[in-house]
Amino acid sequence: MSPMDEPGTQTTPLDAPGRSPRTDQAAQDAVEGDGVQHMKWWGWGREGVAFTHQDKPRLRDFVLENVGVDLDTPGRPALDFDELDVPASRAPQGLLDALGAAAGAGHVRTTPMERVVHTYGKSLRDLLRLRAGDLPRTPDVVVYPGDEDAIRGVVDAVADAGAVLIAFGGGSNISGSLHPPADEERPVVSLDLGRMNRVLEVDEESRLARVQAGVLGPDLEDQLGARGWTMGHVPDSFTHSTLGGWIATRSSGAQSDKYGDIADLTRGLRVVQPGRLVVTRPVPSEATGPSVREMLIGSEGRLGVITEAWVQVHRLPQNREIIGYFFPSFEAGVAAMRDISASDASTVLTRVSDARETAFSFATSKASKGLSHLVSSGLKEYLRRRGWDLDAICLSFVGFEGDADAVKDDKSRVKKIVKAHGGIVVGKGPGTLYDQKKFDTPYIRDYILDRGALADVSDTAAAWSGLLPLYRHVREQADAAFARVGVKGWVMCHLSHSYHGGACLYFTFAFRQTSETPLVEYDVVKGAIQQAFVDAGGTLSHHHAVGTEHARWLAEDISPAGEAMIGELLGAVDPDRRLNPGAIVG
Amino acid sequence: MSPMDEPGTQTTPLDAPGRSPRTDQAAQDAVEGDGVQHMKWWGWGREGVAFTHQDKPRLRDFVLENVGVDLDTPGRPALDFDELDVPASRAPQGLLDALGAAAGAGHVRTTPMERVVHTYGKSLRDLLRLRAGDLPRTPDVVVYPGDEDAIRGVVDAVADAGAVLIAFGGGSNISGSLHPPADEERPVVSLDLGRMNRVLEVDEESRLARVQAGVLGPDLEDQLGARGWTMGHVPDSFTHSTLGGWIATRSSGAQSDKYGDIADLTRGLRVVQPGRLVVTRPVPSEATGPSVREMLIGSEGRLGVITEAWVQVHRLPQNREIIGYFFPSFEAGVAAMRDISASDASTVLTRVSDARETAFSFATSKASKGLSHLVSSGLKEYLRRRGWDLDAICLSFVGFEGDADAVKDDKSRVKKIVKAHGGIVVGKGPGTLYDQKKFDTPYIRDYILDRGALADVSDTAAAWSGLLPLYRHVREQADAAFARVGVKGWVMCHLSHSYHGGACLYFTFAFRQTSETPLVEYDVVKGAIQQAFVDAGGTLSHHHAVGTEHARWLAEDISPAGEAMIGELLGAVDPDRRLNPGAIVG
């Protein structure tokens, strides 16, 4: 859930009064080589951008009450990059020379900062390990090839040298898909796609764009937007994730109701494997099964390096509105989303928070003009008179795009369904805020982590009839896990990404760190939630991939034989386990 | 294109004045065992249903002029089933006993008719081979298991016996996916899913149905319709194809604009492999890639036997209209479909025929009240005054479903786009006819084959910008192929299945048989059209699978490395090549 602000406020870099000085120089160092900007080595986002609770008057009390952590506590002392014990590079000179020959010598880098930046993604586990100085294995060399030929050269050089290759996009992965196995004896090469950041072609008649895999979300949308187009794919990681990363993890964006998941958006692919290049055509549909395109989507670097893709693009919408609604219960909100998705209304996004996430949204509101205003006004009294439990209010957003008539008609259809489920229309203000703030969430995790709280997210998808039982089961299991850990914990949820047959449930949880072994506590809670997903008929992740984090639930999700099939595919295509070994199946 | 009739006529069994008596007894024999109805062993459809030109006054002249074949010529003499030289079954008694133990002894059959019915699909090649008595290899035994446990028993018995298994649904395949390799030395078991024909469950809240794989289209829709639901999947083969077959061939139905391709419709799958069972959950979307569900879709029996699936279902629509339109050229019609698919209009189907297919539709019209009426009326004069070339008219259908307002609005949006491309609205009449007659087409092929003409279909899909260049290239290459064969040939086309980024083009071709080696001539023409597809950027088939018929274009379609990946997957999952060896990749 995003921190809410007043209507009309632009998304700006968040002030960070407590920001640590530990990283500026180091981050610069990482950036120098190739103009490829990386996130902070120790957390989410760019240097100089951070969350703060100082301008959110209710947040301290809220977190204190529900998580037992006082945000006014000064952040814990910073770990300096120089304090890290970074293992030396094991890359043999012959490999470095071969990589230089393929990508240009200036694009082959072995500094500790480069190798640390490319060791982990940004999961809570990754951050905790970094903070603990836990770096058993880093890539031995980072290479920044500038085109597909260079990538083919790099991949072949890796194969010839008996080394291992891990493709790296924005580094935003939170499923443990990026780190080399701790016991990997062979040289490890991180292939950073950051220089592959161009929209190469827009086929306007076909509404398809050919795009290099290393482009970050905002850069992609800027390039498309300049020509009047949008891809419309906006996962929460949007600002720091890449097209290739989206494809490699079977990503889904908040606007999937209209634009589709990445598997729908991706039509043609080019993927480099040792000694060969896989090319699928940008045809809209095909009977050539088993679909090679679908094998490559979600392959997390284990089937090669995605160099470019043909993706669907849409004309920038004539009109766009995100409307806010209140429901008297999560049950009512979920039922409304279910009915909307079967109705004649076209929506861009559908989302409803449970009462807890709604309360959190109110608590992150800056001023009395924001969301909090809505419920401190006459609306409160109105709802009370209608018999609403004000503590059970659930905030919902539905997005609309299209010509003026279509937006009007779709809004009217949705309003009717919302009312049938006891909900009310709140209006455009909250929706505008949601749209502006939707990429800020990950900063909050780092901020509270510095102040003693462990927070993370877990997402699943299930059939409509299974969503509420799953929701209740996760709540119970999370509470039981908090009890086992002996902490006051918090778990909240929203439904997003409606499909014909079901939807995604996205859980955020937080609890106070009480020991010096936070990963043990984290595993108890995260494990309980994931187990609840698969026990209740959900999938292990709706859009965050398998990686290493979720691999232990794979057989329960897609059956042991299904897991075996994935292993058989990977083993047959990459028998020497050169390509990101360890991810998905061991 | 369907043979058109008067509005309001129900789809009824077509009279067949020249119907051969050769098959009744044999067909009965095939059916006896298990109440599973099969198509004619020698052609499309059920005994007693056939096409005739007698009630279509213009058709004889049309075919004579364009294909050089006189439909008044009596059909060629029938081949009696007893004349076939059916190889003896090679099934060892131990295998037969094991199959009987698994499926029940009464469900294991080895009669010549059973084995011939299960040897081929219904491609032109299949029919020509049967008519030539070309039966180098048939299955040695046909087994009809009644539930998933029995299927597991059969599959394991096959593996234990060192035999080979070919799953069989409706037998409508036209890509050569069903016959055993001629040189297969091992015993071959055909597993007929025909007894697995029930809708097991409808999850009304999730809009998902759990359905056994062997159910035929009409039976499935009857069972769903009785509860107020529809799957909406209507390929041309609908009446004689099964859910499992649709999934195994990555099928698409005419209403894919609304309901999606089979890959969209299929959410959960159960697939039996030797010694194990793959189960994927009916979740609406998932990040567990590479997607096992997608590996199984289009696997043509090479990855196991699909026993049941969770598929999306929709409430029967409140309103349904298929509207006819005329365009002054195919180019205008294609451009209109392209614009419709990017508009705010929701459509169920979009289709436009080229001028030739439109002329064929007029020629198959029964009476002056039908389609022919439309162009013999004042409309003709009106169009001429507007400068239309009447020989270039292109007939189009667009379908709408939804509440009354939605249908009205969508029709209005489409009308505006049609007009912008110079088209006119013809009205409901032709659309109603299309809806009623859409499954009759395959009967025509058998009828004219009996009278000396070879006819077949080939379909592709491409990006919007590539469709017209591809269309022209196919026309040229088909004409060149006809010239090489030395015959007057006919090729016609329609666009159907609109997607965001492209559409399907569906070609039908026919030419007079001039030699006793029709397959040689057929290969020249069919090969030229398929080659034109891949040369012009299309896929080898939009919805008819790879099989053996299209396998030689697989590497050109998805690249040699892509073809290799499919081979690697199949080889790893089924290293002993027990499951339908030969299909997709050799």
Side-chain angles (χ1 to χ4, degrees), chain A residues 203 205-208 249-250 261 273 276-279 281-299 303 312-314 338 341-342 344 346 401-403 405-406 409 413 461-465 499-503 533-534 537-546 554 556-559 561-562 564-566 568-570 572-573 584, chain B residues 203 205-208 249-250 261 273 276-279 281-299 303 312-314 338 341-342 344 346 401-403 405-406 409 413 461-465 499-503 533-534 537-546 554 556-559 561-562 564-566 568-570 572-573 584:
Chain A
D203 175 349
E205 190 176 345
S206 304
R207 307 181 280 257
L208 294 168
T249 56
R250 275 186 86 86
D261 295 332
Q273 297 173 343
R276 66 191 194 186
L277 177 69
V278 186
V279 183
R281 297 172 170 211
V283 296
S285 180
E286 70 284 315
T288 47
S291 166
V292 167
R293 182 180 61 81
E294 286 278 1
M295 288 184 218
L296 297 166
I297 294 170
S299 57
L303 293 175
Q312 293 182 179
V313 292
H314 293 243
R338 185 195 68 212
S341 74
D344 289 315
S346 296
E401 289 182 357
D403 65 42
D405 284 348
D409 292 346
R413 288 192 175 95
W464 287 109
S465 64
Y499 303 86
H500 182 78
F533 289 171
V534 293
T539 183
L540 59 81
S541 174
H542 169 260
H543 58 264
H544 281 139
V546 181
L554 186 57
E556 288 182 77
D557 183 345
I558 61 170
S559 76
M565 280 182 68
I566 291 180
E568 285 152 4
L569 169 67
L570 302 181
V573 174
I584 311 179
Chain B
D203 176 349
E205 191 175 347
S206 304
R207 304 178 283 255
L208 294 168
T249 56
R250 276 186 84 85
D261 295 333
Q273 297 174 342
R276 67 190 194 187
L277 177 69
V278 187
V279 182
R281 297 172 170 212
V283 296
S285 180
E286 71 283 313
T288 46
S291 167
V292 167
R293 183 180 60 82
E294 286 280 2
M295 288 184 218
L296 297 167
I297 294 170
S299 57
L303 293 175
Q312 293 183 180
V313 292
H314 294 244
R338 185 193 68 214
S341 74
D344 289 315
S346 296
E401 289 181 358
D403 66 41
D405 284 348
D409 292 347
R413 287 192 175 94
W464 286 109
S465 64
Y499 303 86
H500 183 77
F533 288 170
V534 293
T539 182
L540 60 79
S541 174
H542 168 261
H543 58 265
H544 281 138
V546 181
L554 186 57
E556 288 181 78
D557 183 344
I558 62 170
S559 77
M565 282 182 67
I566 292 181
E568 284 153 4
L569 169 66
L570 302 181
V573 174
I584 309 179

Side-chain angles (χ1 to χ4, degrees), chain A residues 486-571:
Chain A
V487 293
K488 186 165 212 172
W490 176 258
V491 60
M492 61 189 184
C493 175
H494 65 256
L495 175 153
S496 54
H497 308 271
S498 292
Y499 303 86
H500 182 78
C504 165
L505 287 184
Y506 192 99
F507 293 86
T508 303
F509 59 92
F511 59 98
R512 187 163 55 89
Q513 181 179 341
T514 55
S515 78
E516 289 310 304
T517 53
L519 276 176
V520 174
E521 302 162 4
Y522 170 74
D523 279 338
V524 171
V525 177
K526 165 84 175 173
I529 291 172
Q530 289 290 138
Q531 191 63 46
F533 289 171
V534 293
D535 286 348
T539 183
L540 59 81
S541 174
H542 169 260
H543 58 264
H544 281 139
V546 181
T548 52
E549 193 67 48
H550 302 132
R552 58 185 257 224
W553 291 281
L554 186 57
E556 288 182 77
D557 183 345
I558 61 170
S559 76
E563 182 183 36
M565 280 182 68
I566 291 180
E568 285 152 4
L569 169 67
L570 302 181

Side-chain angles (χ1 to χ4, degrees), chain A residues 254 256-258 261 334 336-342 347-352 464 467 495-504 542, chain B residues 207 284:
Chain A
S256 66
D257 291 16
K258 171 179 175 180
D261 295 332
V334 170
M337 300 302 116
R338 185 195 68 212
D339 287 355
I340 290 167
S341 74
T347 59
V348 177
L349 66 90
T350 39
R351 177 180 176 120
V352 57
W464 287 109
L467 287 176
L495 175 153
S496 54
H497 308 271
S498 292
Y499 303 86
H500 182 78
C504 165
H542 169 260
Chain B
R207 304 178 283 255

Side-chain angles (χ1 to χ4, degrees), chain A residues 393-411:
Chain A
I393 289 179
C394 292
L395 176 61
S396 166
F397 299 117
V398 179
F400 307 89
E401 289 182 357
D403 65 42
D405 284 348
V407 167
K408 183 166 160 285
D409 292 346
D410 290 334
K411 275 165 56 180

